[in-house]
Amino acid sequence: MGRSGEGPALPRRQRAGPGAGAKGKPPRGGAGQRFALSVCFLLIPAVLLLQRRQAGPAPEWLFRGDLFLPEVSRDIRDDMPDDLSPSAQIDYDRLLGGLLIEGFDERSCRSRYQFARYHRNAARVLSPYLIERLRRQEALQKKCGPGTKSYNNAVKQLRSTQSINGTSDCNYLFLIIHAGMGNRMLEITSAFLYALLTGRVLLVDRYKQIANTFCEPFPGTSWLIPSDFPLSYNEFTKHSPESYGNMLQENVIRGNTYRSLASARPPYVYLHLDGDYAFHDKLFYCEDDQQFLQGVPWLIMRTDMYFVPSLFLIPSFQDELSKLFPEKDTVFHHLGRYLLHPTNDIWYSATTYYRAYLAKADKVVGIQIRIFEKKGILQRNGPFPHVLEQILSCAQGEKLLPEIGVTDEAAARNNRTIAVLATSLSSWYSDQIRERYSEHHTVDGTTVKVYQPSHEEYQKKKNRKHNMKALAEIYLLSMSDVLITSGFSTFGYVAQGLAGLTPWIMYRPENHVVPEPPCGRAMSIEPCFHQAPYFDCKAKRDADLGKVVPYVRHCEDVSWGLKIVNETRL
């Protein structure tokens, strides 16, 4: 097998050209045969050009390697033979139980209706009420979205900077996009749920590669903020006077009582919900503050977190959330699959890689490796031998991978193959795992093959291709049968949520020592809210918010964070 990032070496029967002779020698043939071959080669470019004109632009291949094989480089269509697993599943729910609707152009966004083909895990319970609310939200997005009369009036009102009295049919939540790919997906999903709960139109930053990575989620409209939006929103920080926290602290919001509903609302409020937010910013999660914000036409939000667990602690949202999510730990699972559809280049790369290397395996074990060492930007991803030992100790101890034999005696082969999909900024870990399984027999005779699509060495948040690769690998991980993830990593959170898989979480090592135990099973498939507040709004004092309701607990990997769990599984 080839080194990670260069593409694993292809089986010999796939790499060799038709008619290849023994030991790679060219076959014998006369002049006529050679002439016929030369004519064929001359015609190939013309045929390819004709096909490209008929089929549109060819998808971009994100992972390096010679993977353009006849059986995997075809246009990915719904009517292609379903050969994704040893036991092919002909039927699949292309609309994800009603999350999606018909009517989108399938060729412009293939992932929308093909997602279910590549996810063999059983879907979680979907509420009919959630489906109804999504249809209403779609209607709202179309009624009030960019280019409509309602949107133009709302922008005109925004330019006027006058205080607002009364309500409007169209209120907006504009999300400023930033941070890495995993965080982006979590912040988009959190903002969408808040928009759904508060009857707002969700719009996102058009300048942060969103159009290059995700398809439009709403029919008949766009979720991208128009280029002529009047606010210089990239200049907003936690120190901005327009931030809700600063307005509270400076007593700018006035009225008969603190945050009085009788007071006039500003035309917009900036919500600074990043990890560095201060006490007054966190009052966003209080009931009284939500009542005040409800009357503000424009909310401009900046966040890099999955703040959904704190929404479950706001009394006015609790009944609605219970109806939307009877299985409470399915918020990201459902909303992520509804909202986040990779563009064709990304989807093509993920599915082509899956078909070539993972589809025929009896089991796919996804291992997401994130290193949190502080040794400098180029060194902090390894190699760290203790991390390698933690990975193997977790995978073998939990029976996710077979143990390696201690003797040279080979166990009887059982024709069973496990494909390991590793994602990491470094290739060293997958190389070492591959080497161990290739040099030694497994105790039960299972064949283990190790693959890693890319290794970027360090994170490049602003690089377009880097982000596209990251998203492709997130979706590849979500196609696994079981998952091992690194604690504290949003990359792993997103993959487990999309898949609907409860992962084994590797705990963060201290002092370069493998933790004991090296990993543990997560309580739920939900992501963790890393920087959750600890202020009890009702009691007006600090409190342990992981003990307020039974379905919001502290995270396994972040003791101060919060995550949603399902009451029936406690």
Side-chain angles (χ1 to χ4, degrees), residues 130-280:
L130 173 60
I131 297 174
E132 175 193 333
R133 289 290 286 109
L134 291 176
R135 301 294 88 86
R136 284 160 53 188
Q137 183 69 23
E138 290 163 358
L140 180 66
Q141 297 277 153
K142 187 174 182 180
K143 171 189 173 184
C144 304
T148 63
K149 182 178 180 181
S150 297
Y151 174 83
N152 294 336
N153 288 338
V155 170
K156 182 179 180 181
Q157 189 179 63
L158 190 60
R159 286 193 176 101
S160 72
T161 69
Q162 298 296 316
S163 297
I164 306 299
N165 287 294
T167 60
S168 169
D169 291 337
C170 297
N171 291 328
Y172 298 85
L173 174 63
F174 171 39
L175 178 65
I176 303 172
I177 300 293
H178 73 122
M181 184 53 66
N183 292 75
R184 289 185 182 193
M185 297 173 77
L186 296 180
E187 66 188 61
I188 289 172
T189 307
S190 301
F192 176 72
L193 177 60
Y194 181 68
L196 194 73
L197 292 170
T198 57
R200 292 180 178 273
V201 175
L202 175 66
L203 298 174
V204 299
D205 190 350
R206 71 182 300 111
Y207 295 112
K208 296 300 188 297
Q209 305 169 7
I210 293 299
N212 292 326
T213 48
F214 296 110
C215 306
E216 293 276 4
F218 307 118
T221 187
S222 176
W223 67 340
L224 300 176
I225 198 77
S227 58
D228 60 352
F229 187 68
L231 298 181
S232 299
Y233 52 86
N234 282 320
E235 299 176 4
F236 288 147
T237 71
K238 66 178 181 179
H239 304 295
S240 299
E242 300 91 346
S243 82
Y244 186 63
N246 287 330
M247 294 171 78
L248 289 177
Q249 192 170 9
E250 300 300 325
N251 200 27
V252 173
I253 300 174
R254 302 177 185 276
N256 297 328
T257 60
Y258 177 60
R259 294 188 296 282
S260 169
L261 295 178
S263 63
R265 269 63 165 184
Y268 73 93
V269 167
Y270 167 58
L271 302 171
H272 187 81
L273 303 179
D274 261 356
D276 64 346
Y277 61 170
F279 169 78
H280 287 89

